[in-house]
Amino acid sequence: MRWTNAKLESARLRRLFAIPRWIEPLGGAIGIAIFAALVYFGFAGNQDPGRNVVPTFVYVFFWTMIPLLSAVLGDVFRPFNPWRAVGLGSSWLRARVAPGRKLLSSLMLVYLAFQLVGMAMFGPRRWLERGDAFGVYFEFFSRIAPLTVVKRALHARVPLSGLTDITSIAGTVVFICTMIGITVFDGLERGGIWQSIAGKDPSTLVMTLGLSASVGIVVGFYRLGVLGMGGSHIEKSPRELSFLFAPSLVPIALGYLIAHYFSFIIFVGQALPHVIAHPMGNSGAPPVDYFLSGKAIWWVQVSALLIGHIMGLIVAHDKAQAVWGRARAASQSQTWMLVVMVGFTTLGLWLLSQSNQ
């Protein structure tokens, strides 16, 4: 990386076309309808997770596919965000639930209620920017994409340049580290080392401690890089540098997500059309075609990790050019960040080896 001035920081938007005003309320209505339908099917449908539409939709589409779509197409979740639609429309979605039903529907209702209370207290727009965890999560990934919506118009931009506009506030760094840490723990708990420590059926407390430790490891890696940069002849505190370079971790989070959920998406994701067509779970289990070999999946996973870390280095180096202003000083400062990226890559490859055992 030898460019001598910040290119992502100075990248400009290119307006493509205006978006009709009716798109936003239509998308919100669709989001509310999907949310309400999922809550109903979750309570009233078959409680077998493999046959009910809710677990497959939430884990395959919502948790893993929306981040990927966001990184390519922009913030695709925002126009369909059901709690955003309800909050901005100043209305409440009321739902009656049957006692004794579980799945994910109860958590969905709790999250909806939490969002509505937050928007009522702090205002919809401010709360959605800071309090909607899923909205912020998807929006961070969307900043990788070459497309964005500004003032009801679609714009093209240089890929990754959207990450330079993230305004760091209290909690931003920990949130981004948590994006990686959750995936780290998900890969760790599939391996033999975790099972030897926690047992085959660990308690909720043990799982919580394991997740917290995984996030702590990610924070520790990043902290080392920040402390190393602090000695590169610049009058900025570690806290300031931590805020400035946190966006460079977002592509790494995407790489981890693809690496650890790729096989889940292509295999378990095959059930999505089936469960959508039979949302009450009144049909047999959907067939799964394991059409990719383990070797092919491994190469996709490794490639995702490496590409994610390369993109992270590009963002970090570009930010260093903007912060230091001198090519030599910027390059020297990134020696520590390179060490951090190598550490993340090594950790990711080790987790893959654990989960594939």
Side-chain angles (χ1 to χ4, degrees), residues 160-175:
L160 301 176
S161 63
L163 293 171
T164 64
D165 297 329
I166 292 178
T167 302
S168 291
I169 58 176
T172 300
V173 175
V174 174
F175 185 87

Side-chain angles (χ1 to χ4, degrees), residues 128-147:
L128 289 167
E129 290 177 355
R130 302 186 179 191
D132 179 9
F134 287 115
V136 175
Y137 176 71
F138 298 139
E139 197 266 342
F140 277 171
F141 283 125
S142 74
R143 291 176 175 272
I144 298 173
L147 299 172

Side-chain angles (χ1 to χ4, degrees), residues 13 15 148-155:
L13 299 177
R15 191 176 188 273
T148 187
V149 175
V150 179
K151 296 181 178 179
R152 292 196 179 92
L154 184 67
H155 291 74

